[in-house]
Amino acid sequence: MRLVVIPGDGIGPETVSVAVTALEKAAQQSGVALDLVHEIAGLDSLAKFGTTVRPELIKTIEAADALMMGPMTTHDLHDDANGRINPSKFFRKYFDLYANIRPARTFEGAPIRIKPFDLVVVRENTEGFYADRNMVSGGSEMLVTDDVVVSLRRITRVCCERIARRAFELAMTRRKRVTIVHKANVLKIGDGMFVQTCEAVAREFPDVTVDSVIVDAMMALVVREPERFDVVVTTNMFGDILSDLTAELAGSLGMAASINAADHFAMAQAAHGSAPDIAGQNIANPLSQIGSAAMLLSWYSQRKAKPQYLEVAQRLEAAMVKTIREGKVTRDMGGDLGTDAVGRAFLANL
Ligand code: ATP
């Protein structure tokens, strides 16, 4: 497996380096070939090459099987023409990474306020209300006058269908339950199409139990009874918001793993941002990035039918469970270890 690794901005270099060491050790234990190609993008690349995403980097990634990227600081990246491209957005769009899979589960030993649970948010990743993603050129948010803004949302049947199919396929490997989260009572046409399309796909999966919940009610239900959910499928922005909530319910946003997957390419990137408030202080939680790496290896194993890569992912997951159970965690999870010390404890548990 050839994997391009980009450290990213903010806490990215700290968390990605821990994830890379863990991945290399787990791969070596399983005797699995892993060809890591170290690259840069984002602010580092802007300083060095005058652009956040170089054309050569795109070629390097195209020649690889997958990408593991740290979070990116994107607030000031508005001008594609001047090399200030948002790398996360760019790769999601360029590689059509339409399925953003964001699991959230409790771990024994992690601080939780509720009963144990284990769910996955499957978030559509290419359209919806994302002004920078849903147009071929230009953005879909417009300043009409200094005091008037119009924001357009794109929903297409093909995108609804493919994300629904990923959700149902995932449910078949889990507890066989899918919840469709939407706002079709207000966004009657767009979310109406999303719900209808999900229900049509559901007919191909008669073993899966399906229900649908309006997004505002979902916020209350998932806090009250997260254990009742298995796979939750939803549109882009609802999925973004809901998955931060479920990550925090599971213990911390610092554990929030995620992959962005197309059919033949995927990018592992933690669900949180670059956390500039804690960058460079050796306190960031690296488990989100390690969890994302594990998800990427399972994805690769399934797509290529190479079970040895699943074994590597399972080693990482087992070490994660053990490290959390031992309380060897960063302060966001109630521990007192630094990023590097969590990394060492993790390696010992591998
Ligand atoms: P960005 O500017 O990239 O969007 P942000 O700080 O606005 O970053 P997040 O990075 O998602 O947004 O962070 C939200 C909060 O969660 C911050 O207070 C941050 O410190 C905390 N946080 C995020 N990731 C981690 C992590 N891996 N470990 C510990 N705390 C984290």
Side-chain angles (χ1 to χ4, degrees):
M1 179 185 190
R2 176 175 287 186
L3 178 61
V4 176
V5 177
I6 297 177
D9 302 320
I11 59 172
E14 298 164 75
T15 58
V16 170
S17 74
V18 172
V20 165
T21 316
L23 193 53
E24 281 177 322
K25 179 165 180 184
Q28 191 203 355
Q29 287 171 328
S30 289
V32 154
L34 204 55
D35 174 14
L36 300 183
V37 182
H38 294 276
E39 266 291 353
I40 58 168
L43 300 182
D44 277 358
S45 173
L46 187 65
K48 200 162 169 196
F49 300 112
T51 176
T52 51
V53 179
R54 288 143 40 233
E56 306 84 75
L57 171 63
I58 302 169
K59 288 205 186 92
T60 304
I61 297 173
E62 278 175 326
D65 294 301
L67 170 64
M68 176 159 86
M69 190 160 82
M72 290 288 170
T73 299
T74 57
H75 304 275
D76 297 330
L77 302 179
H78 299 301
D79 190 0
D80 287 13
N82 278 318
R84 303 174 87 84
I85 304 159
N86 169 346
S88 303
K89 173 206 89 175
F90 179 82
F91 294 131
R92 286 174 182 186
K93 199 164 167 175
Y94 189 84
F95 291 106
D96 197 24
L97 305 175
Y98 65 88
N100 186 202
I101 315 288
R102 294 185 161 187
R105 52 162 288 206
T106 49
F107 286 86
E108 200 188 321
I112 52 162
R113 303 160 193 87
I114 25 89
K115 282 196 214 151
F117 71 92
D118 180 353
L119 60 79
V120 186
V121 176
V122 176
R123 164 194 176 199
E124 203 292 324
N125 213 19
T126 55
E127 51 177 17
F129 259 127
Y130 281 73
D132 57 356
R133 253 175 246 179
N134 59 13
M135 310 284 272
V136 166
S137 86
S140 63
E141 192 172 42
M142 289 150 277
L143 191 63
V144 179
T145 72
D146 277 348
D147 302 311
V148 178
V149 175
V150 173
S151 304
L152 298 176
R153 187 176 77 136
R154 191 186 78 187
I155 298 288
T156 56
R157 203 178 291 281
V158 68
C159 291
C160 297
E161 194 176 320
R162 64 185 183 173
I163 196 69
R165 192 155 280 119
R166 290 304 293 267
F168 280 91
E169 284 166 4
L170 182 61
M172 288 298 290
T173 67
R174 295 175 45 96
R175 303 196 307 277
K176 300 192 174 60
R177 185 174 192 107
V178 170
T179 303
I180 306 163
V181 169
H182 63 91
K183 189 78 186 169
N185 52 335
V186 173
L187 298 165
K188 290 187 192 324
I189 308 175
D191 271 24
M193 186 198 283
F194 179 72
V195 174
Q196 269 171 20
T197 311
C198 288
E199 286 171 351
V201 171
R203 289 195 274 281
E204 298 168 26
F205 296 85
D207 296 340
V208 178
T209 307
V210 188
D211 62 350
S212 63
V213 178
I214 293 174
V215 65
D216 41 323
M218 182 67 182
M219 295 296 140
L221 277 180
V222 82
V223 170
R224 194 184 310 150
E225 283 181 280
E227 68 280 5
R228 87 182 230 186
F229 299 102
D230 178 16
V231 174
V232 178
V233 63
T234 189
T235 51
N236 200 342
M237 192 167 283
F238 296 158
D240 192 16
I241 299 167
L242 177 61
S243 59
D244 268 26
L245 176 68
T246 51
E248 198 59 36
L249 277 177
S252 168
L253 192 53
M255 290 197 321
S258 129
I259 59 164
N260 299 267
D263 291 332
H264 303 289
F265 191 81
M267 167 173 83
Q269 189 184 40
H272 55 72
S274 61
D277 54 330
I278 58 165
Q281 299 172 39
N282 191 31
I283 53 176
N285 188 344
L287 297 182
S288 53
Q289 200 63 49
I290 300 176
S292 305
M295 289 178 73
L296 189 66
L297 267 78
S298 318
W299 171 86
Y300 182 74
S301 158
Q302 202 183 355
R303 291 285 146 187
K304 304 274 173 171
K306 291 183 175 173
Q308 63 274 35
Y309 288 89
L310 181 62
E311 186 187 303
V312 181
Q314 286 166 341
R315 281 182 196 281
L316 293 171
E317 279 154 20
M320 172 107 62
V321 167
K322 191 154 188 271
T323 308
I324 297 172
R325 195 189 302 130
E326 291 170 353
K328 294 190 171 146
V329 291
T330 42
R331 68 179 194 187
D332 55 302
M333 291 177 68
D336 59 2
L337 295 191
T339 312
D340 52 4
V342 172
R344 285 193 296 275
F346 194 94
L347 288 186
N349 283 331
L350 265 176

